[in-house]
Amino acid sequence: ARDREVELPAGAIRTVDIADAEGVLVTPPEVFGGRHVGSVRLEFAGNRIVAVSSEHHDAFVRAVWASHTGDRDRFGEFNVGVNPKLAMVPGVPAIPYYGYGAGVIRVSVGDNAESGGPYRSSYHQWFFLTDATVTANGNVVIDEGRLALL
């Protein structure tokens, strides 16, 4: 599993214990298979990705995704950045320190062996969300990319 120094003092809460993933994840513009494809849309049902599409080069994205083997269709990891010192810099699109800034979400899809998870695949991708809203047990935890609970 992961070394602890990537989480502290940087500040990330992560889990590979994701069950019953349902819904749709739409990402900001992505690079997929080495090509800029715009937003990627992942549809989850029954704890699996059941559809993949993209804003640009959709046939390419579907073909690349279909070519991978193993647990490519699994929600591998969910990370919440909690370090307020790693804030996004206005006007700079780069995400600080692999998404561990306060309120940044990193979703991992596919292989999650590096984090101690059970999924093995030739496919692994990180998706970063900087303006997401996340609720847990009815409480807003992240509000449009800002940590709501401190």
Side-chain angles (χ1 to χ4, degrees):
R2 256 182 218 285
D3 295 328
R4 296 301 124 210
E5 71 267 12
V6 301
E7 289 143 13
L8 296 173
I13 299 169
R14 77 175 65 230
T15 185
V16 296
D17 187 22
I18 300 159
D20 304 323
E22 300 282 336
V24 175
L25 172 66
V26 178
T27 73
E30 291 290 336
V31 173
F32 195 97
R35 185 178 287 185
H36 291 274
V37 299
S39 294
V40 173
R41 178 183 168 92
L42 305 170
E43 295 180 38
F44 292 88
N47 209 36
R48 293 186 179 274
I49 297 170
V50 296
V52 176
S53 59
S54 65
E55 182 179 7
H56 309 292
H57 309 292
D58 187 54
F60 170 80
V61 167
R62 291 174 195 243
V64 169
W65 191 77
S67 72
H68 285 284
T69 60
D71 296 315
R72 72 175 195 261
D73 59 348
R74 296 298 192 143
F75 194 139
E77 186 176 6
F78 184 78
N79 296 272
V80 177
V82 295
N83 188 334
K85 300 287 187 183
L86 293 174
M88 296 291 293
V89 177
V92 177
I95 297 170
Y97 191 64
Y98 293 99
Y100 297 134
V104 176
I105 300 296
R106 189 182 85 197
V107 172
S108 174
V109 176
D111 192 287
N112 63 4
E114 184 181 45
S115 296
Y119 303 134
R120 303 298 177 266
S121 176
S122 62
Y123 178 68
H124 175 265
Q125 179 123 6
W126 289 346
F127 297 104
F128 292 95
L129 308 171
T130 59
D131 60 356
T133 296
V134 176
T135 59
N137 295 326
N139 298 307
V140 176
V141 178
I142 298 173
D143 186 18
E144 296 180 1
R146 290 184 277 322
L147 223 47
L149 296 177
L150 296 175

